[in-house]
Amino acid sequence: MCAHNPPCPTAMAPDREAARPVAHRPEQGWSLLCNGVLVFEDTGELLPDGRIVAPHRPFALTVGSAA
């Protein structure tokens, strides 16, 4: 599917999110990558074979003060 040189990672590769976007709809919260992966703004993914990858946002660290 990818015509870039060097080719983008495949949809099954661990670094699949490094593929180039071919469509971007920020108002709807998603981007389509050239490897067929649909990436959502919450970091969830829909793979071309229909499998779902749950969101994997890093946890925010909060710094509190002792009272």
Side-chain angles (χ1 to χ4, degrees):
M1 197 182 285
C2 176
H4 302 112
N5 193 11
C8 292
T10 67
M12 299 306 150
D15 60 344
R16 64 182 153 255
E17 294 174 14
R20 293 186 188 183
V22 294
H24 182 63
R25 299 291 182 260
E27 69 279 2
Q28 295 177 353
W30 60 266
S31 294
L32 176 64
L33 305 180
C34 70
N35 57 7
V37 175
L38 195 58
V39 180
F40 297 95
E41 67 181 15
D42 71 351
T43 69
E45 300 172 5
L46 180 60
L47 302 181
D49 65 3
R51 286 189 287 159
I52 297 170
V53 177
H56 47 276
R57 251 185 212 170
F59 292 104
L61 297 175
T62 57
V63 179
S65 59

